Amino acid sequence: MSAPSLRAELFRRKPVAAMVDETGAEAPDGGALARRIGPAQLMSFGIGATIGTGIFFVLSSAVPEAGPAVVVSFVLAAVTAGFTALCYAELASTIPVAGSSYSYAYATLGEVVAYVVGWCLVLEYAVSSAAVAVGWSEYLDELLDDTIGVRIPDALSAAPGAGGVVNLPAIVLVTLCALLLIRGASESARANAVMVVIKVLVLLFFSAIAFSAFTSDNYAPFAPLGVAGISAAASSIFFSFIGLDAVSTAGEEVRNPRRTLPVAIIGALLVVTTVYLLVAFSAVGAQPAAEFEGQEAGLAVILEDVTGSRWPAIVLAAGAVVSIFSVTLVTMYGQTRILFAMSRDGMIPSLFSRVDPRTLTPVRGTVAVALFVGVLAGFVPLDFLIDLTSMGTLVAFTVVSIGVVVLRRTQPDLPRGFRVPGYPVVPVLSVAFCLYLVYGLPGTTWALFGIWLAIAAVVYVTYARTHSTLRTPR
């Protein structure tokens, strides 16, 4: 038998049936990972990975770009996320396995595309985890100052490029999340569900107080930098919607995945969008746009200015500390499951797919992720992290939307627990909106992303292509 051509190798696809069989997706307790997560816990995963990812601190960078029109930026990001959520819901119900966009790309567009998406997801989750850990450090510092009058020295609470030496609180947070993830997915899901309730209540509390000081004067001029500013802010804000992808990474640990995954993805999006718009609209109405730039722990500062009292700011800061903990927990969880799927396919070393027989979690992979995220959180400034997360997220979302169209055409008879309404218009709109937001990202982000993809290409050629489990038929 002659060797397959290079093109055949690059674009070989992993059959959906094989994915489902090897993971036990049709069995209630099948697969290497334990199927213990229910619908409510999974929806809270999506909310937990999304609310807090940016809303507690992204306004300080988004408002200077868009002005009061940042509320339009949130709507633009939410509409894009909404189209993509419908695409995710269909693929998640059709291919209910770990790996999210990586697995969907492997089944629809071929190995090399899946590998690129996998690397985008690694970037997306690692950088997102690090970014929110940096934001957590800011709110922890604010909380300590408001309660006991102590601030963490700049040298120990900021990255070298942000005026410090190391962001120690961010590293501590990553370590705590790793320890909880090692204990088990269901334990992590329960802890996250409690933190989600706290964060939603805290943000509603913020909105109620901010609306009491609302003035329409703060909305003029509405869009000082025009459409370009709105687009740039929407591109940065989009990293706040990473939770949609995080839901689908749990495909192998969810009970009745074909039904549970679509419900959790769409439900999480509706809750998240409502809360984001309430917070953004009330925050801009309570504080002039010019005051957002460079503001640390901004929502807590707004509450203190509005009420003239410290206790609302303390409540907000404490809620943010809890809230951002849950975001880091879920995004780190998502990254370990992406790496688990890639490792099982031979794309990266087997270290990441080894499951501990007692906890039924990839312990070694979790430790490796914690080390990588800890370095980013401790030594890289926040601004670089936010835009890189948006880039990785948008690329993955684009591939998912294309994957829906490809799978409908190539395998129309596959069982689907959910179908995208308005097909094929919705997937096409999803791709168009994602590409529009990608275009709005700064040149430095494109350059860093290009370097990341160059590294991915080297690893694929030297390792993944020859170690792929599809290279030698079983």
Side-chain angles (χ1 to χ4, degrees):
M1 182 181 294
S2 61
S5 66
L6 177 61
R7 177 182 173 82
E9 282 195 347
L10 292 178
F11 293 99
R12 54 196 171 199
R13 300 175 185 177
K14 188 172 183 181
V16 174
M19 290 186 178
V20 173
D21 289 343
E22 76 180 2
T23 61
E26 301 293 356
D29 297 306
L33 299 173
R35 203 171 284 283
R36 297 172 177 172
I37 300 174
Q41 288 179 323
L42 186 61
M43 186 182 295
S44 73
F45 253 49
I47 298 170
T50 308
I51 295 181
T53 308
I55 196 62
F56 280 99
F57 51 87
V58 77
L59 290 175
S60 63
S61 59
V63 174
E65 290 178 317
V70 72
V71 294
V72 179
S73 301
F74 271 100
V75 171
L76 179 58
V79 169
T80 305
F83 286 140
T84 310
L86 296 174
C87 297
Y88 261 96
E90 176 166 328
L91 288 187
S93 71
T94 310
I95 313 172
V97 301
S100 183
S101 314
Y102 159 77
S103 295
Y104 306 155
Y106 213 164
T108 59
L109 301 174
E111 183 173 282
V112 69
V113 178
Y115 191 77
V116 169
V117 170
W119 272 75
C120 287
L121 291 172
V122 170
L123 177 70
E124 170 188 335
Y125 280 100
V127 176
S128 176
S129 300
V132 294
V134 173
W136 184 82
S137 177
E138 293 177 2
Y139 274 97
L140 178 64
D141 202 23
E142 183 74 18
L143 180 62
L144 293 174
D145 185 38
D146 286 342
T147 53
I148 60 177
V150 173
R151 296 194 74 92
I152 303 171
D154 290 343
L156 299 179
S157 61
V165 176
V166 59
N167 196 324
L168 188 59
I171 294 176
V172 170
L173 173 62
V174 171
T175 303
L176 292 174
C177 289
L179 292 174
L180 184 55
L181 289 172
I182 287 171
R183 284 186 58 84
S186 60
E187 290 84 352
S188 300
R190 284 195 294 270
N192 174 70
V194 173
M195 289 185 277
V196 163
V197 172
I198 293 172
K199 74 168 69 179
V200 171
L201 290 176
V202 166
L203 288 173
L204 293 177
F205 167 77
F206 167 84
S207 296
I209 294 180
F211 272 124
S212 71
F214 187 93
T215 172
S216 58
D217 292 344
N218 288 339
Y219 275 85
F222 183 66
L225 299 179
V227 175
I230 293 173
S231 300
S235 299
S236 296
I237 286 169
F238 198 78
F239 95 103
S240 302
F241 288 90
I242 189 178
L244 301 179
D245 192 271
V247 172
S248 60
T249 63
E252 288 182 40
E253 293 163 278
V254 177
R255 297 190 296 270
N256 190 13
R258 295 195 189 279
R259 177 182 178 277
T260 300
L261 284 163
V263 169
I265 290 170
I266 295 172
L269 175 68
L270 292 175
V271 173
V272 165
T273 300
T274 301
V275 173
Y276 276 6
L277 290 176
L278 275 174
V279 172
F281 189 65
S282 61
V284 175
Q287 176 177 271
E291 295 181 15
F292 281 90
E293 187 166 8
Q295 193 175 55
E296 292 190 1
L299 300 189
V301 173
I302 291 173
L303 287 189
E304 188 169 344
D305 292 342
V306 167
T307 62
S309 175
R310 278 196 167 189
W311 73 264
I314 291 173
V315 171
L316 194 286
V321 167
V322 173
S323 170
I324 297 173
F325 185 105
S326 76
V327 177
T328 310
L329 176 69
V330 179
T331 51
M332 286 181 62
Y333 165 86
Q335 187 177 15
T336 61
R337 271 46 180 184
I338 297 294
L339 293 172
F340 174 88
M342 294 181 71
S343 176
R344 182 170 57 194
D345 292 336
M347 298 290 101
I348 56 176
S350 61
L351 160 76
F352 295 96
S353 58
R354 294 176 187 167
V355 175
D356 184 271
R358 184 177 61 85
T359 64
L360 297 178
T361 61
V363 173
R364 294 180 182 180
T366 302
V367 172
V369 165
L371 290 173
F372 182 42
V373 173
V375 169
L376 288 177
F379 299 99
V380 180
L382 180 62
D383 290 345
F384 286 99
L385 297 174
I386 289 176
D387 285 338
L388 271 175
T389 304
S390 289
M391 175 67 86
T393 304
L394 286 164
V395 170
F397 282 16
T398 301
V399 170
V400 166
S401 303
I402 295 172
V404 168
V405 177
V406 172
L407 204 61
R408 284 278 192 105
R409 293 176 65 87
T410 58
Q411 300 186 60
D413 298 326
L414 278 176
R416 289 168 169 83
F418 177 86
R419 287 178 176 268
V420 173
Y423 174 89
V425 175
V426 168
V428 171
L429 286 175
S430 177
V431 172
F433 273 76
C434 286
L435 293 179
Y436 177 73
L437 293 184
V438 166
Y439 178 76
L441 290 169
T444 53
T445 302
W446 281 89
L448 291 172
F449 187 65
I451 293 171
W452 181 254
L453 291 185
I455 296 172
V458 171
V459 177
Y460 179 78
V461 171
T462 58
Y463 182 90
R465 189 169 69 89
T466 56
H467 287 77
S468 169
T469 56
L470 293 186
R471 185 177 176 86
T472 305
R474 294 180 180 179

PDB file of all heavy atoms in Angstrom, residues 61-86:
ATOM      1  N   SER A  61     -10.304  49.558  30.149  1.00  0.00           N
ATOM      2  CA  SER A  61      -9.619  49.616  28.841  1.00  0.00           C
ATOM      3  C   SER A  61     -10.601  49.815  27.696  1.00  0.00           C
ATOM      4  O   SER A  61     -10.258  50.414  26.676  1.00  0.00           O
ATOM      5  CB  SER A  61      -8.810  48.333  28.601  1.00  0.00           C
ATOM      6  OG  SER A  61      -9.640  47.191  28.637  1.00  0.00           O
ATOM      7  N   ALA A  62     -11.842  49.359  27.851  1.00  0.00           N
ATOM      8  CA  ALA A  62     -12.820  49.451  26.763  1.00  0.00           C
ATOM      9  C   ALA A  62     -13.455  50.834  26.654  1.00  0.00           C
ATOM     10  O   ALA A  62     -13.664  51.340  25.549  1.00  0.00           O
ATOM     11  CB  ALA A  62     -13.911  48.394  26.936  1.00  0.00           C
ATOM     12  N   VAL A  63     -13.765  51.466  27.790  1.00  0.00           N
ATOM     13  CA  VAL A  63     -14.399  52.792  27.747  1.00  0.00           C
ATOM     14  C   VAL A  63     -13.484  53.834  27.097  1.00  0.00           C
ATOM     15  O   VAL A  63     -13.950  54.642  26.285  1.00  0.00           O
ATOM     16  CB  VAL A  63     -14.854  53.235  29.151  1.00  0.00           C
ATOM     17  CG1 VAL A  63     -15.384  54.665  29.125  1.00  0.00           C
ATOM     18  CG2 VAL A  63     -15.936  52.300  29.679  1.00  0.00           C
ATOM     19  N   PRO A  64     -12.180  53.882  27.398  1.00  0.00           N
ATOM     20  CA  PRO A  64     -11.316  54.839  26.698  1.00  0.00           C
ATOM     21  C   PRO A  64     -11.291  54.637  25.183  1.00  0.00           C
ATOM     22  O   PRO A  64     -11.043  55.578  24.427  1.00  0.00           O
ATOM     23  CB  PRO A  64      -9.935  54.572  27.312  1.00  0.00           C
ATOM     24  CG  PRO A  64     -10.235  54.054  28.680  1.00  0.00           C
ATOM     25  CD  PRO A  64     -11.454  53.208  28.504  1.00  0.00           C
ATOM     26  N   GLU A  65     -11.560  53.407  24.717  1.00  0.00           N
ATOM     27  CA  GLU A  65     -11.566  53.150  23.275  1.00  0.00           C
ATOM     28  C   GLU A  65     -12.870  53.594  22.617  1.00  0.00           C
ATOM     29  O   GLU A  65     -12.872  54.149  21.522  1.00  0.00           O
ATOM     30  CB  GLU A  65     -11.361  51.654  23.011  1.00  0.00           C
ATOM     31  CG  GLU A  65      -9.964  51.147  23.334  1.00  0.00           C
ATOM     32  CD  GLU A  65      -9.819  49.661  23.092  1.00  0.00           C
ATOM     33  OE1 GLU A  65     -10.730  48.895  23.451  1.00  0.00           O
ATOM     34  OE2 GLU A  65      -8.779  49.265  22.536  1.00  0.00           O
ATOM     35  N   ALA A  66     -14.001  53.328  23.294  1.00  0.00           N
ATOM     36  CA  ALA A  66     -15.304  53.575  22.674  1.00  0.00           C
ATOM     37  C   ALA A  66     -16.070  54.729  23.284  1.00  0.00           C
ATOM     38  O   ALA A  66     -17.043  55.202  22.694  1.00  0.00           O
ATOM     39  CB  ALA A  66     -16.157  52.312  22.750  1.00  0.00           C
ATOM     40  N   GLY A  67     -15.676  55.183  24.479  1.00  0.00           N
ATOM     41  CA  GLY A  67     -16.466  56.186  25.177  1.00  0.00           C
ATOM     42  C   GLY A  67     -17.745  55.566  25.702  1.00  0.00           C
ATOM     43  O   GLY A  67     -17.834  54.334  25.863  1.00  0.00           O
ATOM     44  N   PRO A  68     -18.791  56.338  25.964  1.00  0.00           N
ATOM     45  CA  PRO A  68     -20.066  55.777  26.430  1.00  0.00           C
ATOM     46  C   PRO A  68     -20.657  54.742  25.477  1.00  0.00           C
ATOM     47  O   PRO A  68     -21.462  53.905  25.882  1.00  0.00           O
ATOM     48  CB  PRO A  68     -20.964  57.011  26.541  1.00  0.00           C
ATOM     49  CG  PRO A  68     -20.020  58.150  26.747  1.00  0.00           C
ATOM     50  CD  PRO A  68     -18.808  57.809  25.930  1.00  0.00           C
ATOM     51  N   ALA A  69     -20.250  54.812  24.203  1.00  0.00           N
ATOM     52  CA  ALA A  69     -20.734  53.837  23.219  1.00  0.00           C
ATOM     53  C   ALA A  69     -20.212  52.438  23.503  1.00  0.00           C
ATOM     54  O   ALA A  69     -20.489  51.504  22.730  1.00  0.00           O
ATOM     55  CB  ALA A  69     -20.329  54.267  21.811  1.00  0.00           C
ATOM     56  N   VAL A  70     -19.503  52.255  24.600  1.00  0.00           N
ATOM     57  CA  VAL A  70     -19.053  50.919  24.987  1.00  0.00           C
ATOM     58  C   VAL A  70     -20.242  49.978  25.156  1.00  0.00           C
ATOM     59  O   VAL A  70     -20.113  48.757  24.992  1.00  0.00           O
ATOM     60  CB  VAL A  70     -18.205  50.984  26.275  1.00  0.00           C
ATOM     61  CG1 VAL A  70     -19.085  51.284  27.503  1.00  0.00           C
ATOM     62  CG2 VAL A  70     -17.434  49.688  26.486  1.00  0.00           C
ATOM     63  N   VAL A  71     -21.425  50.540  25.484  1.00  0.00           N
ATOM     64  CA  VAL A  71     -22.607  49.680  25.595  1.00  0.00           C
ATOM     65  C   VAL A  71     -22.943  49.060  24.240  1.00  0.00           C
ATOM     66  O   VAL A  71     -23.413  47.914  24.164  1.00  0.00           O
ATOM     67  CB  VAL A  71     -23.817  50.456  26.157  1.00  0.00           C
ATOM     68  CG1 VAL A  71     -23.561  50.878  27.598  1.00  0.00           C
ATOM     69  CG2 VAL A  71     -24.157  51.669  25.303  1.00  0.00           C
ATOM     70  N   VAL A  72     -22.689  49.802  23.148  1.00  0.00           N
ATOM     71  CA  VAL A  72     -22.895  49.255  21.801  1.00  0.00           C
ATOM     72  C   VAL A  72     -21.856  48.174  21.526  1.00  0.00           C
ATOM     73  O   VAL A  72     -22.141  47.159  20.886  1.00  0.00           O
ATOM     74  CB  VAL A  72     -22.818  50.368  20.740  1.00  0.00           C
ATOM     75  CG1 VAL A  72     -23.007  49.786  19.339  1.00  0.00           C
ATOM     76  CG2 VAL A  72     -23.857  51.435  21.012  1.00  0.00           C
ATOM     77  N   SER A  73     -20.630  48.387  22.029  1.00  0.00           N
ATOM     78  CA  SER A  73     -19.575  47.380  21.871  1.00  0.00           C
ATOM     79  C   SER A  73     -19.981  46.070  22.542  1.00  0.00           C
ATOM     80  O   SER A  73     -19.750  44.981  21.998  1.00  0.00           O
ATOM     81  CB  SER A  73     -18.261  47.895  22.472  1.00  0.00           C
ATOM     82  OG  SER A  73     -17.834  49.084  21.860  1.00  0.00           O
ATOM     83  N   PHE A  74     -20.587  46.170  23.719  1.00  0.00           N
ATOM     84  CA  PHE A  74     -21.057  44.968  24.406  1.00  0.00           C
ATOM     85  C   PHE A  74     -22.160  44.281  23.603  1.00  0.00           C
ATOM     86  O   PHE A  74     -22.198  43.045  23.516  1.00  0.00           O
ATOM     87  CB  PHE A  74     -21.571  45.318  25.808  1.00  0.00           C
ATOM     88  CG  PHE A  74     -20.512  45.274  26.865  1.00  0.00           C
ATOM     89  CD1 PHE A  74     -19.900  46.432  27.312  1.00  0.00           C
ATOM     90  CD2 PHE A  74     -20.113  44.068  27.423  1.00  0.00           C
ATOM     91  CE1 PHE A  74     -18.920  46.395  28.286  1.00  0.00           C
ATOM     92  CE2 PHE A  74     -19.134  44.017  28.387  1.00  0.00           C
ATOM     93  CZ  PHE A  74     -18.532  45.185  28.833  1.00  0.00           C
ATOM     94  N   VAL A  75     -23.058  45.075  23.011  1.00  0.00           N
ATOM     95  CA  VAL A  75     -24.127  44.495  22.189  1.00  0.00           C
ATOM     96  C   VAL A  75     -23.528  43.783  20.975  1.00  0.00           C
ATOM     97  O   VAL A  75     -23.929  42.662  20.631  1.00  0.00           O
ATOM     98  CB  VAL A  75     -25.119  45.586  21.736  1.00  0.00           C
ATOM     99  CG1 VAL A  75     -26.102  45.014  20.709  1.00  0.00           C
ATOM    100  CG2 VAL A  75     -25.877  46.150  22.931  1.00  0.00           C
ATOM    101  N   LEU A  76     -22.547  44.420  20.327  1.00  0.00           N
ATOM    102  CA  LEU A  76     -21.899  43.821  19.159  1.00  0.00           C
ATOM    103  C   LEU A  76     -21.217  42.507  19.526  1.00  0.00           C
ATOM    104  O   LEU A  76     -21.340  41.498  18.819  1.00  0.00           O
ATOM    105  CB  LEU A  76     -20.882  44.805  18.572  1.00  0.00           C
ATOM    106  CG  LEU A  76     -20.075  44.343  17.347  1.00  0.00           C
ATOM    107  CD1 LEU A  76     -21.006  43.962  16.211  1.00  0.00           C
ATOM    108  CD2 LEU A  76     -19.125  45.444  16.905  1.00  0.00           C
ATOM    109  N   ALA A  77     -20.501  42.509  20.653  1.00  0.00           N
ATOM    110  CA  ALA A  77     -19.846  41.280  21.108  1.00  0.00           C
ATOM    111  C   ALA A  77     -20.874  40.217  21.456  1.00  0.00           C
ATOM    112  O   ALA A  77     -20.692  39.031  21.152  1.00  0.00           O
ATOM    113  CB  ALA A  77     -18.960  41.585  22.318  1.00  0.00           C
ATOM    114  N   ALA A  78     -21.986  40.626  22.082  1.00  0.00           N
ATOM    115  CA  ALA A  78     -23.026  39.674  22.484  1.00  0.00           C
ATOM    116  C   ALA A  78     -23.733  39.065  21.282  1.00  0.00           C
ATOM    117  O   ALA A  78     -24.045  37.867  21.271  1.00  0.00           O
ATOM    118  CB  ALA A  78     -24.038  40.365  23.394  1.00  0.00           C
ATOM    119  N   VAL A  79     -23.988  39.882  20.252  1.00  0.00           N
ATOM    120  CA  VAL A  79     -24.633  39.367  19.034  1.00  0.00           C
ATOM    121  C   VAL A  79     -23.725  38.340  18.356  1.00  0.00           C
ATOM    122  O   VAL A  79     -24.175  37.259  17.931  1.00  0.00           O
ATOM    123  CB  VAL A  79     -24.963  40.523  18.057  1.00  0.00           C
ATOM    124  CG1 VAL A  79     -25.365  39.973  16.693  1.00  0.00           C
ATOM    125  CG2 VAL A  79     -26.079  41.383  18.625  1.00  0.00           C
ATOM    126  N   THR A  80     -22.437  38.662  18.281  1.00  0.00           N
ATOM    127  CA  THR A  80     -21.468  37.713  17.709  1.00  0.00           C
ATOM    128  C   THR A  80     -21.456  36.419  18.514  1.00  0.00           C
ATOM    129  O   THR A  80     -21.485  35.319  17.950  1.00  0.00           O
ATOM    130  CB  THR A  80     -20.061  38.331  17.696  1.00  0.00           C
ATOM    131  OG1 THR A  80     -20.094  39.577  17.015  1.00  0.00           O
ATOM    132  CG2 THR A  80     -19.070  37.398  17.012  1.00  0.00           C
ATOM    133  N   ALA A  81     -21.419  36.560  19.842  1.00  0.00           N
ATOM    134  CA  ALA A  81     -21.418  35.378  20.716  1.00  0.00           C
ATOM    135  C   ALA A  81     -22.715  34.595  20.565  1.00  0.00           C
ATOM    136  O   ALA A  81     -22.720  33.361  20.643  1.00  0.00           O
ATOM    137  CB  ALA A  81     -21.224  35.810  22.163  1.00  0.00           C
ATOM    138  N   GLY A  82     -23.831  35.308  20.344  1.00  0.00           N
ATOM    139  CA  GLY A  82     -25.116  34.639  20.196  1.00  0.00           C
ATOM    140  C   GLY A  82     -25.167  33.767  18.960  1.00  0.00           C
ATOM    141  O   GLY A  82     -25.600  32.601  19.010  1.00  0.00           O
ATOM    142  N   PHE A  83     -24.717  34.309  17.816  1.00  0.00           N
ATOM    143  CA  PHE A  83     -24.674  33.505  16.594  1.00  0.00           C
ATOM    144  C   PHE A  83     -23.775  32.280  16.799  1.00  0.00           C
ATOM    145  O   PHE A  83     -24.115  31.164  16.395  1.00  0.00           O
ATOM    146  CB  PHE A  83     -24.136  34.346  15.429  1.00  0.00           C
ATOM    147  CG  PHE A  83     -25.113  35.361  14.891  1.00  0.00           C
ATOM    148  CD1 PHE A  83     -24.683  36.630  14.530  1.00  0.00           C
ATOM    149  CD2 PHE A  83     -26.452  35.050  14.739  1.00  0.00           C
ATOM    150  CE1 PHE A  83     -25.577  37.568  14.033  1.00  0.00           C
ATOM    151  CE2 PHE A  83     -27.350  35.992  14.243  1.00  0.00           C
ATOM    152  CZ  PHE A  83     -26.916  37.250  13.892  1.00  0.00           C
ATOM    153  N   THR A  84     -22.633  32.523  17.417  1.00  0.00           N
ATOM    154  CA  THR A  84     -21.684  31.433  17.624  1.00  0.00           C
ATOM    155  C   THR A  84     -22.220  30.399  18.607  1.00  0.00           C
ATOM    156  O   THR A  84     -21.982  29.200  18.455  1.00  0.00           O
ATOM    157  CB  THR A  84     -20.343  31.988  18.145  1.00  0.00           C
ATOM    158  OG1 THR A  84     -19.926  33.066  17.317  1.00  0.00           O
ATOM    159  CG2 THR A  84     -19.272  30.908  18.135  1.00  0.00           C
ATOM    160  N   ALA A  85     -22.960  30.859  19.631  1.00  0.00           N
ATOM    161  CA  ALA A  85     -23.520  29.942  20.628  1.00  0.00           C
ATOM    162  C   ALA A  85     -24.446  28.928  19.974  1.00  0.00           C
ATOM    163  O   ALA A  85     -24.462  27.738  20.340  1.00  0.00           O
ATOM    164  CB  ALA A  85     -24.271  30.727  21.700  1.00  0.00           C
ATOM    165  N   LEU A  86     -25.230  29.380  19.001  1.00  0.00           N
ATOM    166  CA  LEU A  86     -26.127  28.462  18.301  1.00  0.00           C
ATOM    167  C   LEU A  86     -25.333  27.410  17.533  1.00  0.00           C
ATOM    168  O   LEU A  86     -25.710  26.230  17.487  1.00  0.00           O
ATOM    169  CB  LEU A  86     -27.032  29.248  17.351  1.00  0.00           C
ATOM    170  CG  LEU A  86     -28.002  30.232  18.018  1.00  0.00           C
ATOM    171  CD1 LEU A  86     -28.733  31.060  16.962  1.00  0.00           C
ATOM    172  CD2 LEU A  86     -29.008  29.487  18.901  1.00  0.00           C
TER     173      LEU A  86
END
